[in-house]
Amino acid sequence: MSEGTATTTDLDVRLERHRVELTGYCYRMLGSSFEAEDAVQDTMVRAWRSYDKFEGRSSMRSWLYRIATNVCLDMLNAGNRRARPMDLTAPSPLAQAALTPRPDSTWLEPVPDARVLPSTGDPAEAAVAKESVRLAFMAALQQLPPKQRAVLILREVLAWRASEVAELLGTTVASVNSALQRARATLAEKAEAGADAAVSDPLDEEQQKLLERYVAAFEGYDMTALTALLHEDAAMTMPPFDLWLRGPQDITGFMTTLGAACAGSRLVPVEVNGLPGFAQYKPDEDGRGHTAWAVQALEISKGRLTGFHFFLDTARWFPLFGLPLRLDGSEEAGTPGDRAAGGSGAVAGLEAEADEVE
């Protein structure tokens, strides 16, 4: 069947094949999980409505990327740049720590890997895809003007040829190459020492053991053990609050004062932004179970945690990750090693409870 004679059902199926990669592209452009999904839905609707005008002069994939790019550029015309707390303020000394929220539109949002990373049999391609949604890289992307952002993603992440990008953007190859050069220079300036590029895919044995120790330390609320895992410049963030802390002393000091209610938490592994992560459940006040509190994303470098980021808007994040909002006790079995590795002891019953949430 030719592209010009596709049935409605066939067209729907063919459009859906591109949903995950388009969501990944729009997420990199917009820095928001929910805006990315809105952008992709808009792209699909526009494609469906204008399919009779699609003459097959390019592949469907290229055509969809052209539509998605225009949707994202339109959305970015408002000028909003999503950020992490450390992109907006200096670290707060523990003595001055204050939990001041900012609007949701301020923050770079987390995303489940499965929603933005298409399956691939190429390990190198998979590694590049994961690196390109990690928080540090995403934050740097948000510093680029929208068209430079599109050029860099298409050229560096998706490996499009300069001529393909020029055709998509309606410009010249020289203009694309110039934009790419400027984008690379900006990203080089924003590069962070000790960023999360050292996370291997899959995690190597040393990194897996580090996560097991982290689970044991966090669930046991053992600040001595946690301090031993933190890099001296480790950062801790808690969107939607603009507070962020640097260094083991301030981080563990916060956890035993303003954050003391997290003692006794349980962690369930999640795959978030190409990083190891956990869904954190805090003890209920009545002691009968645990309630959703945060999605954690961990950055690792040279055998230490360089950053851990707590995304606290549980009403948004837990359903997005397919997680229940409560653990009643039966899901909390298993060793720290089980939970760090995503073992069955940590996740038993979660899918059923997630269905109930939906």
Side-chain angles (χ1 to χ4, degrees):
M1 181 178 292
S2 69
E3 293 195 279
T5 60
T7 66
T8 298
T9 301
D10 178 61
L11 178 58
D12 288 341
V13 170
R14 292 170 61 204
L15 291 174
E16 284 300 317
R17 289 174 186 162
H18 300 279
R19 182 174 291 275
V20 173
E21 66 170 310
L22 287 172
T23 304
Y25 175 62
C26 293
Y27 174 68
R28 295 178 184 98
M29 285 290 292
L30 301 171
S32 164
S33 310
F34 296 104
E35 287 184 1
E37 293 196 350
D38 289 345
V40 172
Q41 193 58 34
D42 191 359
T43 297
M44 296 297 189
V45 170
R46 293 189 191 190
W48 201 92
R49 289 176 175 171
S50 62
Y51 186 74
D52 58 343
K53 301 176 184 177
F54 174 54
E55 300 175 354
R57 288 177 293 185
S58 62
S59 69
M60 175 174 280
R61 182 172 182 258
S62 298
W63 181 58
L64 289 172
Y65 269 92
R66 181 179 298 110
I67 298 172
T69 300
N70 289 333
V71 169
C72 289
L73 292 176
D74 287 344
M75 293 174 72
L76 290 167
N77 279 340
N80 181 52
R81 291 182 176 183
R82 291 181 177 266
R84 304 167 300 168
M86 64 270 291
D87 301 320
L88 303 178
T89 66
S92 298
L94 179 59
Q96 299 173 17
L99 297 177
T100 306
R102 296 201 189 193
D104 290 340
S105 59
T106 304
W107 304 116
L108 179 63
E109 296 180 351
V111 70
D113 286 2
R115 288 184 179 254
V116 294
L117 299 178
S119 299
T120 175
D122 185 339
E125 184 178 325
V128 169
K130 279 196 169 186
E131 289 172 6
S132 69
V133 295
R134 288 179 180 160
L135 296 171
F137 184 80
M138 285 291 303
L141 277 180
Q142 306 311 301
Q143 302 300 314
L144 299 175
K147 286 193 175 180
Q148 282 188 31
R149 201 179 306 177
V151 167
L152 186 128
I153 296 167
L154 291 166
R155 292 282 286 121
E156 301 279 89
V157 178
L158 302 177
W160 285 38
R161 294 190 296 271
S163 58
E164 294 174 320
V165 178
E167 182 179 358
L168 182 147
L169 294 176
T171 187
T172 64
V173 169
S175 177
V176 166
N177 289 336
S178 176
L180 179 60
Q181 185 176 8
R182 294 196 302 274
R184 284 172 172 167
T186 299
L187 260 61
E189 292 175 3
K190 301 293 181 182
E192 300 178 17
D196 55 346
V199 179
S200 61
D201 181 30
L203 296 177
D204 61 31
E205 183 178 359
E206 180 185 8
Q207 291 168 344
Q208 189 60 51
K209 288 182 177 179
L210 176 64
L211 290 185
E212 292 174 11
R213 293 169 63 196
Y214 172 74
V215 170
F218 194 94
E219 291 190 341
Y221 232 57
D222 183 339
M223 295 300 112
T224 300
L226 184 60
T227 296
L229 305 180
L230 295 175
H231 189 277
E232 62 181 6
D233 289 326
M236 175 180 172
T237 69
M238 293 163 285
F241 301 115
D242 58 12
L243 169 74
W244 70 281
L245 303 162
R246 170 168 281 163
Q249 184 173 351
D250 279 354
I251 290 172
T252 58
F254 178 89
M255 292 177 68
T256 54
T257 54
L258 293 177
C262 288
S265 291
R266 290 293 177 263
L267 302 181
V268 174
V270 294
E271 294 181 330
V272 51
N273 285 82
L275 297 166
F278 296 94
Q280 178 191 344
Y281 291 84
K282 193 169 70 168
D284 286 339
E285 292 183 1
D286 61 13
R288 295 181 180 178
H290 289 76
T291 301
W293 181 247
V295 170
Q296 302 181 6
L298 307 183
E299 295 170 330
I300 299 173
S301 181
K302 298 179 181 178
R304 291 288 184 271
L305 296 173
T306 58
F308 56 137
H309 308 284
F310 295 71
F311 296 94
L312 301 179
D313 192 347
T314 54
R316 301 175 77 208
W317 305 133
F318 277 61
L320 182 70
F321 281 80
L323 294 162
L325 295 176
R326 278 185 50 81
L327 300 181
D328 63 13
S330 61
E331 304 86 352
E332 299 170 23
T335 66
D338 289 331
R339 290 190 286 280
S344 59
V347 297
L350 287 182
E351 293 182 359
E353 289 206 20
D355 290 341
E356 292 178 8
V357 170
E358 294 174 359

